[in-house]
Amino acid sequence: MMKQISKIEVFTSIVMGLLFLVGASWAGDVRTARVEAQIARERLAKEAQAEKAEALDEAKKIQAEIFADKARLKQAVAEMEVTSQGLAKETEAVEKHIAELDVQNKELAKEVAIAEADVKELLGFIRSNAKDLDALLLQSPQSALGLDPRIEGIRELSQGQGYPSMDDLSLMVELLVSEIVHSGQVRREQIPIVTREGKTREAQVMTMGNFSAMASLDGDADFLLYSEPSQSFFQLSKPSPARMRAQLADYMAGKTEAVPVDVSRGAALRQFAHRLDYKEQIKSGGLIVWPILFIAVLACLLVIERLIFLLRVRTNVDVLMEKVVTLARQNKWDACMQACTQKGNRPVPLVLAAGLSCRGRCRADMENILGEAILRQIPRLERFLPTLGMLAAIAPLLGLLGTVTGMINTFHVITVAGTGDPRLMSGGISEALVTTMLGLAVAIPVTVAHVLLSRMVERNVGQMEEKSMALVNELCSEPACDVPVEKAA
């Protein structure tokens, strides 16, 4: 422990000695620095005094310049005030002028607005007329004979492109006048047309104004229809009636001055394409049409047979009866019988012959014999008449049956395809109407024929009854004699 304390003291003594040596050295340097600093401070103070003097001189010069500038500025301000006052007056005058110009501007704006409205109205009027002219020329059959290529400019004008010029207005007037002139003329041109087969061929085309057009192709003249999209003529899908085509051929050949014209501008001619001939109408009626046609044919045959029969058995009964009465009063019974039998199988002579064969009998027997003879003739006269009546009753019933089946087909189509396309329903409706029409068309004449034939039969029966009663009266008025009884023929 003692040894350690002695070491620490030695070490401390050494350190203190070293510190003493360093402090002595550093104190000498500090004194030297202080002297140098004092010298520098004095030098700097002299330099500062010199610079201050220069700065004061400079400040005086600047101040003088500032005063000079201030004076000039004041003078300039005074001048500017004068100028400002002048400018204020000018500004006031300008503002007044601006106000007047504003008033004029407003008035001019109103005039410009009115002028713009007039221009727009005129422009719209011109565009509207250009559009109407374009549509008129497109719809005109005269366009098929050659359309003026300048119409493109009018077409662009009608579509709102560009502004119309005086040349455009002159062209519109020229085209309109040309259309008016051509629409009142009969023109003949050699131009291509579209045939029924869809082929394009050159043909001699004649236009009757804007109403009708006709063409002669391979010696067959017929009407033409105008197509606006293609601006060309095409033949009707179905030829027009032969009589009309003959009139067109004669007119185009210069043989006649009369010609049929479609004043509806093609609407009536298009009906030819949709018109059905009898064969197509029958096909559109379905299967029910054929029984109705069979009834019609059968009824015609029966009517013709009955008409021929009733005309053949017709007799001038008054002349015959007068002859029979005359011969009977002369007791020429053989001649009476011959007069009746030479008429053949005609009903009235046969009945009279039956009455003559039973002469000499009592009145009741004669009436019975004559009645039997009349009843024997009635079936011959009324043959097929019940059949005709039945056919007249069946025909409309078949037509009604066709109506029902057609409506069933129509409702079936509505169920499957809806009601959006009426053409799909036209098949069933056509079947219903065609069968009804045919049924009535057959029933009405058959009924009329049945009534007329029945009336003819009734007249024959009435004649037989009348003449048989007259014969009985004539024979019963004769005195009873032993005339031999003969059988009727």
Side-chain angles (χ1 to χ4, degrees):
M1 185 69 180
M2 291 301 291
K3 290 179 179 180
Q4 292 178 354
I5 293 171
S6 62
K7 289 178 181 181
I8 293 170
E9 289 177 351
V10 170
F11 181 75
T12 305
S13 298
I14 293 170
V15 172
M16 292 298 294
L18 292 174
L19 291 174
F20 179 79
L21 292 176
V22 172
S25 178
W26 182 71
D29 294 338
V30 169
R31 285 192 297 271
T32 303
R34 283 183 177 177
V35 172
E36 291 176 356
Q38 183 66 32
I39 295 169
R41 189 178 301 114
E42 291 175 356
R43 181 173 50 83
L44 292 174
K46 291 178 180 179
E47 290 176 357
Q49 290 294 329
E51 290 178 358
K52 181 179 179 181
E54 291 177 359
L56 290 175
D57 294 339
E58 187 67 23
K60 290 179 180 177
K61 292 179 181 178
I62 294 172
Q63 186 176 11
E65 291 177 358
I66 291 172
F67 286 153
D69 292 339
K70 183 177 180 181
R72 288 196 296 270
L73 288 175
K74 287 182 178 179
Q75 184 178 358
V77 168
E79 293 175 357
M80 291 298 295
E81 287 179 353
V82 173
T83 304
S84 177
Q85 292 176 356
L87 291 175
K89 292 180 181 179
E90 293 179 357
T91 302
E92 184 179 359
V94 169
E95 289 178 351
K96 185 178 180 181
H97 183 62
I98 290 173
E100 294 175 354
L101 291 177
D102 288 339
V103 174
Q104 293 180 1
N105 187 27
K106 291 180 180 178
E107 294 178 354
L108 291 175
K110 291 180 180 178
E111 294 178 358
V112 169
I114 295 173
E116 287 180 351
D118 293 341
V119 170
K120 288 182 179 178
E121 183 179 358
L122 179 60
L123 184 60
F125 178 76
I126 293 174
R127 292 187 191 282
S128 176
N129 280 274
K131 189 174 183 179
D132 293 342
L133 178 61
D134 185 26
L136 176 65
L137 295 180
L138 287 178
Q139 296 173 0
S140 174
Q142 305 298 328
S143 299
L145 303 179
L147 189 61
D148 195 325
R150 295 178 294 175
I151 189 62
E152 292 298 330
I154 303 301
R155 191 165 297 161
E156 292 178 356
L157 184 62
S158 64
Q159 295 173 356
Q161 300 177 2
Y163 287 90
S165 62
M166 292 304 297
D167 293 337
D168 294 332
L169 297 179
S170 300
L171 178 59
M172 290 174 60
V173 174
E174 181 182 348
L175 293 176
L176 187 59
V177 172
S178 175
E179 176 64 20
I180 293 173
V181 172
H182 288 159
S183 63
Q185 294 178 341
V186 177
R187 302 177 64 189
R188 184 191 291 266
E189 297 287 346
Q190 186 77 17
I191 60 173
I193 64 171
V194 181
T195 63
R196 296 186 183 90
E197 295 78 15
K199 299 179 180 178
T200 302
R201 296 183 56 185
E202 290 284 338
Q204 190 71 233
V205 176
M206 178 178 289
T207 59
M208 308 291 295
N210 286 345
F211 293 108
S212 297
M214 61 197 78
S216 177
L217 195 62
D218 297 333
D220 185 16
D222 203 349
F223 282 110
L224 297 176
L225 289 176
Y226 173 67
S227 173
E228 294 181 15
S230 61
Q231 297 176 5
S232 59
F233 287 117
F234 60 92
Q235 286 186 318
L236 302 177
S237 58
K238 290 183 178 179
S240 56
R243 180 178 57 82
M244 195 173 295
R245 285 186 280 122
Q247 292 177 347
L248 295 179
D250 292 341
Y251 182 79
M252 294 189 71
K255 298 179 181 179
T256 181
E257 297 180 353
V259 62
V261 176
D262 180 15
V263 295
S264 63
R265 304 185 66 174
L269 293 177
R270 286 184 174 85
Q271 297 302 318
F272 288 128
H274 302 290
R275 187 182 58 183
L276 299 178
D277 54 17
Y278 292 112
K279 188 176 180 181
E280 292 174 340
Q281 289 182 358
I282 289 174
K283 286 184 178 179
S284 64
L287 297 177
I288 303 298
V289 170
W290 301 109
I292 297 176
L293 293 179
F294 174 75
I295 288 175
V297 173
L298 181 60
C300 288
L301 295 176
L302 294 180
V303 169
I304 293 173
E305 191 276 337
R306 283 292 85 194
L307 187 61
I308 294 174
F309 174 77
L310 293 176
L311 291 177
R312 289 182 62 186
V313 300
R314 187 175 58 180
T315 306
N316 191 346
V317 293
D318 294 333
V319 175
L320 176 62
M321 191 62 195
E322 183 178 357
K323 184 177 181 179
V324 170
V325 170
T326 303
L327 293 174
R329 289 177 181 175
Q330 297 174 2
N331 293 326
K332 295 180 180 179
W333 303 109
D334 293 336
C336 289
M337 187 61 72
Q338 185 180 1
C340 293
T341 56
Q342 69 181 3
K343 297 293 183 181
N345 292 328
R346 298 179 180 182
V348 175
L350 289 177
V351 171
L352 294 178
L356 292 173
S357 64
C358 63
R359 65 183 181 277
R361 294 189 180 186
C362 63
R363 184 183 186 91
D365 291 342
M366 292 180 65
E367 289 179 354
N368 290 334
I369 292 172
L370 287 170
E372 182 181 356
I374 292 171
L375 292 175
R376 193 181 301 117
Q377 298 299 323
I378 289 177
R380 295 178 57 217
L381 297 173
E382 293 182 345
R383 189 173 58 179
F384 299 138
L385 291 183
T387 304
L388 277 177
M390 181 188 65
L391 295 178
I394 290 176
L397 294 178
L398 288 174
L400 181 61
L401 177 61
T403 302
V404 174
T405 57
M407 295 309 297
I408 290 174
N409 293 335
T410 300
F411 285 117
H412 177 68
V413 171
I414 293 175
T415 303
V416 174
T419 58
D421 191 356
R423 289 177 295 184
L424 295 176
M425 299 182 289
S426 62
I429 296 174
S430 176
E431 179 181 350
L433 296 180
V434 169
T435 53
T436 303
M437 182 270 292
L438 282 179
L440 295 176
V442 172
I444 292 173
V446 172
T447 302
V448 173
H450 178 263
V451 171
L452 295 177
L453 292 174
S454 298
R455 179 58 183 161
M456 293 176 67
V457 171
E458 290 175 358
R459 187 176 63 182
N460 282 328
V461 173
Q463 289 176 348
M464 287 188 294
E465 292 176 350
E466 177 190 358
K467 299 308 176 186
S468 62
M469 187 58 63
L471 180 62
V472 169
N473 293 334
E474 184 64 26
L475 294 177
C476 291
S477 64
E478 294 290 334
C481 58
D482 53 351
V483 179
V485 179
E486 299 178 358
K487 292 183 178 180

